[in-house]
Amino acid sequence: MRDPVSEPLPPDALLTAARDCELAGEWAEAAAHYEHWYAHAVAARDARGIAEVTRRIGHVHRNAKQMELADEYFTLSFALAELLPNTSLMGRALNGIAAVRYTERALEDAELLYAQARQLAVDGGDRELVGQTEQNLAIVATIRGEAEQATAW
């Protein structure tokens, strides 16, 4: 992998490099690429990009089992998306917060957040996120033994 500090990538290549690192389980390297993308977004005054990259950094921390940091980044992403306003980004950030709650075994909180994220996805026309949140809601229902509810999603 490329060293993101000594060999900085142009903004359009940072996302690809970060995703490649995530797929390889190289969380620190993925975060470094996203942090470079964040710096570019700040310099460009790209509010949507800042909201997006903070959410992605949240996912890196969640995958690295750093739930407190993940929650902070998802919460920041939600606040930024709310200021835009961008319902799809808000829903994606809430979905991340819900995933943290799910990992922490707070199923009621996770379910509520997944449902809120789903509604934002519907409102924002984000079909991919609608599918993700419905799948997450079905998983929560399955864990609870609510087979009928799980299949309804």
Side-chain angles (χ1 to χ4, degrees):
M1 290 285 154
R2 246 177 116 115
D3 177 14
V5 175
S6 63
E7 300 178 57
L9 296 171
D12 60 340
L14 289 169
L15 176 60
T16 301
R19 285 182 179 165
D20 289 347
C21 289
E22 283 186 274
L23 290 173
E26 297 169 346
W27 311 123
E29 292 86 352
H33 287 302
Y34 284 134
E35 287 165 10
H36 283 279
W37 184 23
Y38 175 87
H40 285 287
V42 168
R45 296 178 168 249
D46 177 7
R48 186 186 190 293
I50 295 167
E52 175 70 22
V53 73
T54 55
R55 181 183 63 81
R56 290 176 184 266
I57 293 170
H59 281 296
V60 169
H61 287 300
R62 185 178 60 81
N63 288 329
K65 310 290 187 244
Q66 299 168 331
M67 296 306 153
E68 203 169 306
L69 279 172
D71 192 60
E72 288 177 21
Y73 276 97
F74 288 135
T75 300
L76 175 59
S77 180
F78 180 83
L80 293 168
E82 193 172 33
L83 289 171
L84 287 172
N86 185 309
T87 54
S88 177
L89 287 176
M90 289 167 60
R92 288 179 176 275
L94 275 185
N95 192 50
I97 295 169
V100 170
R101 297 298 174 276
Y102 174 85
T103 302
E104 295 171 338
R105 308 269 193 260
L107 290 182
E108 286 182 29
D109 292 343
E111 182 178 36
L112 177 64
L113 290 164
Y114 284 138
Q116 291 172 344
R118 181 192 175 279
Q119 187 57 55
L120 288 166
V122 168
D123 294 346
D126 188 338
R127 294 177 64 188
E128 179 183 355
L129 182 58
V130 170
Q132 289 172 355
T133 55
E134 288 179 354
Q135 182 178 21
N136 292 335
L137 286 163
I139 290 168
V140 171
T142 299
I143 290 169
R144 290 190 170 147
E146 300 167 354
E148 190 172 313
Q149 179 63 39
T151 57
W153 290 112

